[in-house]
Amino acid sequence: MGLEAKISVLPYYEIKHPEISRIRVFPTPEEAAQAAAEEIIGVVRVNPQAAITYATGDTVIPLYENLARAVKEGRVDFSETSGFHLDEYYPCGPDINEYPHGFVAYLRQRVFTPLGIKNANEMNGLAPDPEAEAKRYDGLLSAKPIEIAILGIGPWSAETQTGCHIAFNESGTPFSEKVHVQTLDPVTLMRDRQERGQDSPERALTQGVANILEARRIFLLAYGEKKGQSLREALFGEIGPQRPASALRLQGQKVTLFIDEAAASQFGKL
Ligand code: GLP
């Protein structure tokens, strides 16, 4: 390959929005994930002790694969960073055989282990007193300013007019909530049955909207038409607890969306 420099230029455009500072639109999810990974790598290079909150779910898998590759190639070192859990079903433990839908198992497998994160802060989905566990976790978060919160977005139902959760903050949850025990919306439980083939517990532990909005940077990833509908509600619907992701508009200067064209295609159909 000689000394030839390899520069990859990602084709993308930005959508202007009155509150959200950057909405980056890429032709494919792979390109969006790569761009998000490069921004995160850039932050960790400048601040090797950054505290980062990691979402789970399908959307962020390619992002985490990009980060793991960069670590393997020696382009970045996450070992001194701190990792934080965004949400967890309750009850739910780390044993993947017993709880195949669990987020602790997911994070260990896709994030904490491959990135070599030593300080991984997990929510205990088997804590006998979930309210006390929420308090404990909130204390951990308050002790470390979060540099980046990585988020996905939940489904929106036109029928029930509920959805577009961030973490497990469901419609109706006040924006002032910190880490708490959340009753899951029927739309989320149905998504889990239909798309993940699982019967999820009806409750979860989750970082609250207030925790998420405290992060210095918020990166949200969303791909495909269905996620585009959730985003359309969040970005252009009424700001308020009915649309949890609309809270991001209150701190829009911190927010970057990494989305694909299929998601963006839904914004015109208001
Ligand atoms: C999940 C989690 C969120 C995640 C969202 C989207 O259930 N509560 O942390 O961001 O729903 O998941 P997916 O990317 O699989 O659609």
Side-chain angles (χ1 to χ4, degrees):
M1 211 194 290
L3 291 174
E4 190 186 322
K6 269 190 115 188
I7 301 166
S8 79
V9 181
L10 296 163
Y12 77 94
Y13 61 89
E14 292 199 10
I15 291 178
K16 290 224 176 308
H17 184 277
E19 292 119 4
I20 303 290
S21 66
R22 288 194 308 158
I23 303 179
R24 303 182 68 188
V25 185
F26 296 85
T28 64
E30 290 70 30
E31 285 153 303
Q34 197 189 332
E38 289 309 318
E39 287 203 24
I40 293 165
I41 290 166
V43 170
V44 171
R45 282 193 183 138
V46 173
N47 178 5
Q49 296 182 337
I52 300 177
T53 286
Y54 294 92
T56 52
D58 293 338
T59 307
V60 283
I61 291 175
L63 165 66
Y64 299 154
E65 285 171 352
N66 273 284
L67 294 179
R69 198 172 315 120
V71 166
K72 221 172 169 188
E73 291 169 356
R75 295 181 52 222
V76 62
D77 180 2
F78 277 75
S79 63
E80 298 305 318
T81 64
S82 298
F84 282 86
H85 205 157
L86 183 64
D87 51 11
E88 179 61 281
Y89 293 105
Y90 186 86
C92 185
D95 182 343
I96 201 155
N97 297 313
E98 211 176 331
Y99 301 99
H101 51 259
F103 292 161
V104 167
Y106 172 116
L107 287 175
R108 288 183 187 174
Q109 186 196 341
R110 298 186 183 280
V111 179
F112 299 150
T113 304
L115 303 191
I117 296 172
K118 286 181 269 183
N119 182 18
N121 299 274
E122 297 174 347
M123 288 178 183
N124 179 6
L126 292 179
D129 179 349
E131 311 284 350
E133 173 60 8
K135 255 210 182 102
R136 179 194 74 86
Y137 203 81
D138 203 67
L140 293 177
L141 276 171
S142 323
K144 281 239 182 232
I146 299 294
E147 191 71 49
I148 311 173
I150 302 168
L151 306 179
I153 188 167
W156 173 259
S157 162
E159 197 186 322
T160 58
Q161 293 284 298
T162 59
C164 74
H165 64 217
I166 44 174
F168 266 139
N169 293 281
E170 303 284 28
S171 295
T173 307
F175 291 169
S176 56
E177 285 273 352
K178 308 273 265 185
V179 184
H180 63 281
V181 181
Q182 175 79 51
T183 300
L184 296 177
D185 193 284
V187 172
T188 301
L189 296 172
M190 177 134 56
R191 184 265 326 249
D192 287 355
R193 263 194 301 275
Q194 289 177 346
E195 293 178 19
R196 300 181 177 175
Q198 72 192 38
D199 276 321
S200 298
E202 283 170 15
R203 290 193 297 165
L205 285 160
T206 185
Q207 287 197 27
V209 170
N211 301 106
I212 292 168
L213 295 187
E214 274 170 10
R216 290 210 183 103
R217 298 177 179 80
I218 300 169
F219 291 172
L220 186 147
L221 283 68
Y223 314 131
E225 289 184 9
K226 267 175 110 174
K227 296 284 166 151
Q229 288 158 20
S230 296
L231 274 181
R232 184 183 66 203
E233 293 296 327
L235 296 175
F236 305 106
E238 194 180 312
I239 299 178
Q242 201 59 23
R243 296 172 176 76
S246 69
L248 300 178
R249 288 155 65 190
L250 302 176
Q251 294 285 337
Q253 76 287 354
K254 297 176 171 184
V255 178
T256 304
L257 305 188
F258 298 85
I259 67 175
D260 68 355
E261 280 171 0
S265 73
Q266 298 302 301
F267 297 175
K269 297 177 190 161
L270 278 168

Short mmCIF file of all heavy atoms in Angstrom, two decimals, residues 54-60 86-87 89 103 150-155 165-169 188 191-192 195-196 206 221 227, ligand 1:
data_model
loop_
_atom_site.label_atom_id
_atom_site.label_comp_id
_atom_site.label_asym_id
_atom_site.label_seq_id
_atom_site.Cartn_x
_atom_site.Cartn_y
_atom_site.Cartn_z
N TYR A 54 -23.83 4.11 27.60
CA TYR A 54 -24.04 3.28 26.41
C TYR A 54 -25.46 2.74 26.35
O TYR A 54 -25.89 2.02 27.26
CB TYR A 54 -23.07 2.09 26.43
CG TYR A 54 -21.62 2.50 26.29
CD1 TYR A 54 -20.84 2.73 27.42
CD2 TYR A 54 -21.05 2.66 25.03
CE1 TYR A 54 -19.50 3.11 27.29
CE2 TYR A 54 -19.71 3.04 24.90
CZ TYR A 54 -18.96 3.26 26.03
OH TYR A 54 -17.64 3.64 25.91
N ALA A 55 -26.16 3.05 25.27
CA ALA A 55 -27.47 2.44 25.01
C ALA A 55 -27.27 0.99 24.58
O ALA A 55 -26.16 0.60 24.17
CB ALA A 55 -28.20 3.20 23.92
N THR A 56 -28.34 0.23 24.65
CA THR A 56 -28.31 -1.13 24.08
C THR A 56 -29.28 -1.13 22.88
O THR A 56 -29.71 -0.09 22.43
CB THR A 56 -28.76 -2.14 25.14
OG1 THR A 56 -30.00 -1.69 25.67
CG2 THR A 56 -27.74 -2.26 26.24
N GLY A 57 -29.59 -2.30 22.37
CA GLY A 57 -30.51 -2.39 21.24
C GLY A 57 -29.76 -2.68 19.95
O GLY A 57 -28.53 -2.70 19.90
N ASP A 58 -30.54 -2.90 18.90
CA ASP A 58 -29.95 -3.28 17.60
C ASP A 58 -29.25 -2.11 16.92
O ASP A 58 -28.24 -2.28 16.24
CB ASP A 58 -31.06 -3.81 16.67
CG ASP A 58 -31.62 -5.12 17.18
OD1 ASP A 58 -30.92 -5.81 17.95
OD2 ASP A 58 -32.76 -5.45 16.82
N THR A 59 -29.83 -0.92 17.06
CA THR A 59 -29.32 0.24 16.32
C THR A 59 -27.84 0.49 16.56
O THR A 59 -27.11 0.83 15.63
CB THR A 59 -30.13 1.49 16.74
OG1 THR A 59 -31.51 1.22 16.58
CG2 THR A 59 -29.72 2.70 15.91
N VAL A 60 -27.42 0.34 17.80
CA VAL A 60 -26.06 0.74 18.15
C VAL A 60 -25.02 -0.38 17.94
O VAL A 60 -23.83 -0.14 18.15
CB VAL A 60 -25.99 1.29 19.60
CG1 VAL A 60 -26.55 2.71 19.64
CG2 VAL A 60 -26.75 0.40 20.57
N LEU A 86 -27.40 2.46 30.53
CA LEU A 86 -28.51 3.41 30.32
C LEU A 86 -29.81 2.91 30.96
O LEU A 86 -30.54 3.66 31.59
CB LEU A 86 -28.72 3.61 28.82
CG LEU A 86 -29.78 4.60 28.37
CD1 LEU A 86 -29.42 6.02 28.82
CD2 LEU A 86 -29.97 4.57 26.86
N ASP A 87 -30.08 1.62 30.78
CA ASP A 87 -31.33 1.07 31.31
C ASP A 87 -31.25 -0.45 31.37
O ASP A 87 -30.38 -1.06 30.75
CB ASP A 87 -32.53 1.53 30.47
CG ASP A 87 -32.34 1.31 28.96
OD1 ASP A 87 -31.38 0.61 28.57
OD2 ASP A 87 -33.15 1.82 28.18
N TYR A 89 -33.97 -4.08 32.12
CA TYR A 89 -35.25 -4.65 32.54
C TYR A 89 -35.18 -5.02 34.03
O TYR A 89 -34.10 -5.28 34.56
CB TYR A 89 -35.56 -5.91 31.73
CG TYR A 89 -35.82 -5.65 30.26
CD1 TYR A 89 -34.87 -5.96 29.30
CD2 TYR A 89 -37.03 -5.11 29.84
CE1 TYR A 89 -35.10 -5.73 27.95
CE2 TYR A 89 -37.28 -4.87 28.49
CZ TYR A 89 -36.32 -5.18 27.56
OH TYR A 89 -36.54 -4.95 26.23
N PHE A 103 -29.67 -6.47 29.37
CA PHE A 103 -28.76 -5.46 28.83
C PHE A 103 -27.35 -5.54 29.44
O PHE A 103 -26.38 -5.10 28.81
CB PHE A 103 -29.33 -4.05 29.03
CG PHE A 103 -30.58 -3.78 28.22
CD1 PHE A 103 -31.43 -2.74 28.56
CD2 PHE A 103 -30.90 -4.54 27.10
CE1 PHE A 103 -32.57 -2.47 27.80
CE2 PHE A 103 -32.03 -4.29 26.34
CZ PHE A 103 -32.88 -3.24 26.70
N ILE A 150 -24.87 8.00 24.71
CA ILE A 150 -25.21 7.39 23.41
C ILE A 150 -26.62 6.82 23.54
O ILE A 150 -26.89 6.01 24.43
CB ILE A 150 -24.23 6.26 23.05
CG1 ILE A 150 -22.80 6.80 23.00
CG2 ILE A 150 -24.62 5.60 21.73
CD1 ILE A 150 -21.73 5.70 22.93
N LEU A 151 -27.49 7.24 22.64
CA LEU A 151 -28.90 6.85 22.74
C LEU A 151 -29.44 6.25 21.45
O LEU A 151 -28.96 6.57 20.36
CB LEU A 151 -29.78 8.09 23.02
CG LEU A 151 -29.47 8.98 24.21
CD1 LEU A 151 -30.47 10.13 24.23
CD2 LEU A 151 -29.51 8.20 25.51
N GLY A 152 -30.48 5.44 21.61
CA GLY A 152 -31.36 5.07 20.50
C GLY A 152 -32.71 5.70 20.79
O GLY A 152 -32.85 6.53 21.70
N ILE A 153 -33.71 5.31 20.03
CA ILE A 153 -35.07 5.84 20.27
C ILE A 153 -36.07 4.69 20.12
O ILE A 153 -35.87 3.79 19.30
CB ILE A 153 -35.39 7.02 19.32
CG1 ILE A 153 -36.71 7.70 19.70
CG2 ILE A 153 -35.41 6.57 17.85
CD1 ILE A 153 -36.92 9.05 19.00
N GLY A 154 -37.11 4.73 20.93
CA GLY A 154 -38.12 3.67 20.90
C GLY A 154 -39.19 3.92 19.85
O GLY A 154 -39.26 5.00 19.26
N PRO A 155 -40.06 2.92 19.63
CA PRO A 155 -41.09 3.05 18.61
C PRO A 155 -42.20 4.03 19.03
O PRO A 155 -42.43 4.23 20.22
CB PRO A 155 -41.66 1.63 18.52
CG PRO A 155 -41.37 1.01 19.84
CD PRO A 155 -40.10 1.63 20.34
N HIS A 165 -39.49 6.57 23.25
CA HIS A 165 -38.75 6.64 24.50
C HIS A 165 -37.26 6.87 24.25
O HIS A 165 -36.74 6.51 23.20
CB HIS A 165 -38.98 5.41 25.39
CG HIS A 165 -38.50 4.09 24.87
ND1 HIS A 165 -39.18 2.90 25.07
CD2 HIS A 165 -37.39 3.73 24.18
CE1 HIS A 165 -38.53 1.90 24.54
NE2 HIS A 165 -37.43 2.37 23.98
N ILE A 166 -36.62 7.50 25.22
CA ILE A 166 -35.16 7.47 25.29
C ILE A 166 -34.82 6.75 26.59
O ILE A 166 -35.47 6.97 27.60
CB ILE A 166 -34.49 8.87 25.20
CG1 ILE A 166 -35.21 9.89 26.07
CG2 ILE A 166 -34.38 9.32 23.76
CD1 ILE A 166 -34.50 11.25 26.12
N ALA A 167 -33.82 5.88 26.54
CA ALA A 167 -33.62 4.88 27.60
C ALA A 167 -34.97 4.19 27.77
O ALA A 167 -35.63 3.89 26.76
CB ALA A 167 -33.10 5.53 28.88
N PHE A 168 -35.44 4.00 29.01
CA PHE A 168 -36.78 3.43 29.16
C PHE A 168 -37.73 4.49 29.72
O PHE A 168 -38.69 4.15 30.43
CB PHE A 168 -36.75 2.18 30.04
CG PHE A 168 -36.62 0.89 29.26
CD1 PHE A 168 -35.79 -0.12 29.72
CD2 PHE A 168 -37.33 0.68 28.09
CE1 PHE A 168 -35.67 -1.32 29.02
CE2 PHE A 168 -37.22 -0.51 27.38
CZ PHE A 168 -36.39 -1.50 27.84
N ASN A 169 -37.49 5.74 29.42
CA ASN A 169 -38.43 6.78 29.83
C ASN A 169 -39.61 6.76 28.87
O ASN A 169 -39.49 7.14 27.70
CB ASN A 169 -37.74 8.15 29.79
CG ASN A 169 -36.67 8.26 30.83
OD1 ASN A 169 -36.95 8.48 32.01
ND2 ASN A 169 -35.43 8.03 30.41
N THR A 188 -43.91 -0.63 23.99
CA THR A 188 -42.58 -1.21 24.14
C THR A 188 -42.68 -2.73 24.29
O THR A 188 -41.91 -3.48 23.67
CB THR A 188 -41.87 -0.61 25.38
OG1 THR A 188 -41.78 0.80 25.20
CG2 THR A 188 -40.49 -1.20 25.58
N ARG A 191 -43.41 -4.19 20.98
CA ARG A 191 -42.20 -4.18 20.14
C ARG A 191 -41.30 -5.37 20.51
O ARG A 191 -40.80 -6.08 19.64
CB ARG A 191 -41.45 -2.84 20.37
CG ARG A 191 -40.21 -2.58 19.54
CD ARG A 191 -38.85 -2.94 20.12
NE ARG A 191 -38.62 -2.81 21.53
CZ ARG A 191 -37.82 -1.91 22.09
NH1 ARG A 191 -37.21 -1.03 21.35
NH2 ARG A 191 -37.61 -1.91 23.40
N ASP A 192 -41.15 -5.59 21.81
CA ASP A 192 -40.28 -6.68 22.26
C ASP A 192 -40.81 -8.04 21.82
O ASP A 192 -40.04 -8.91 21.43
CB ASP A 192 -40.12 -6.64 23.79
CG ASP A 192 -39.23 -5.49 24.23
OD1 ASP A 192 -38.68 -4.80 23.35
OD2 ASP A 192 -39.09 -5.28 25.45
N GLU A 195 -40.64 -7.79 17.57
CA GLU A 195 -39.34 -7.62 16.90
C GLU A 195 -38.23 -8.43 17.57
O GLU A 195 -37.22 -8.73 16.95
CB GLU A 195 -38.94 -6.14 16.85
CG GLU A 195 -39.87 -5.35 15.95
CD GLU A 195 -39.54 -3.87 15.92
OE1 GLU A 195 -38.41 -3.48 16.29
OE2 GLU A 195 -40.43 -3.09 15.53
N ARG A 196 -38.39 -8.73 18.85
CA ARG A 196 -37.31 -9.44 19.56
C ARG A 196 -37.73 -10.82 20.00
O ARG A 196 -36.92 -11.55 20.58
CB ARG A 196 -36.86 -8.61 20.77
CG ARG A 196 -36.34 -7.24 20.34
CD ARG A 196 -35.87 -6.43 21.51
NE ARG A 196 -35.32 -5.15 21.05
CZ ARG A 196 -34.91 -4.18 21.84
NH1 ARG A 196 -34.98 -4.34 23.14
NH2 ARG A 196 -34.42 -3.07 21.35
N THR A 206 -34.11 2.67 34.81
CA THR A 206 -33.63 3.51 33.71
C THR A 206 -33.05 4.82 34.20
O THR A 206 -33.51 5.37 35.20
CB THR A 206 -34.78 3.80 32.71
OG1 THR A 206 -34.25 4.52 31.60
CG2 THR A 206 -35.92 4.61 33.31
N LEU A 221 -28.74 7.76 17.65
CA LEU A 221 -28.66 7.06 16.37
C LEU A 221 -30.04 6.46 16.04
O LEU A 221 -30.69 5.90 16.93
CB LEU A 221 -27.63 5.93 16.42
CG LEU A 221 -26.15 6.34 16.33
CD1 LEU A 221 -25.69 7.09 17.57
CD2 LEU A 221 -25.27 5.11 16.14
N LYS A 227 -38.14 4.31 12.71
CA LYS A 227 -37.44 5.22 13.64
C LYS A 227 -37.63 6.67 13.19
O LYS A 227 -37.65 7.59 14.00
CB LYS A 227 -35.95 4.89 13.69
CG LYS A 227 -35.65 3.52 14.23
CD LYS A 227 -35.79 3.48 15.72
CE LYS A 227 -35.83 2.07 16.18
NZ LYS A 227 -35.33 1.85 17.50
C1 GLP B 1 -34.48 -0.30 23.97
C2 GLP B 1 -33.74 0.42 25.07
C3 GLP B 1 -33.11 1.69 24.57
C4 GLP B 1 -32.85 1.58 23.09
C5 GLP B 1 -34.17 1.51 22.36
C6 GLP B 1 -34.03 1.21 20.86
O1 GLP B 1 -35.45 -1.11 24.48
N1 GLP B 1 -34.58 0.72 26.17
O2 GLP B 1 -31.96 1.94 25.32
O3 GLP B 1 -32.15 2.72 22.67
O4 GLP B 1 -35.04 0.58 22.99
O5 GLP B 1 -33.68 -0.11 20.61
P1 GLP B 1 -33.35 -0.65 19.14
O6 GLP B 1 -32.11 0.06 18.70
O7 GLP B 1 -33.16 -2.12 19.27
O8 GLP B 1 -34.53 -0.29 18.29
#
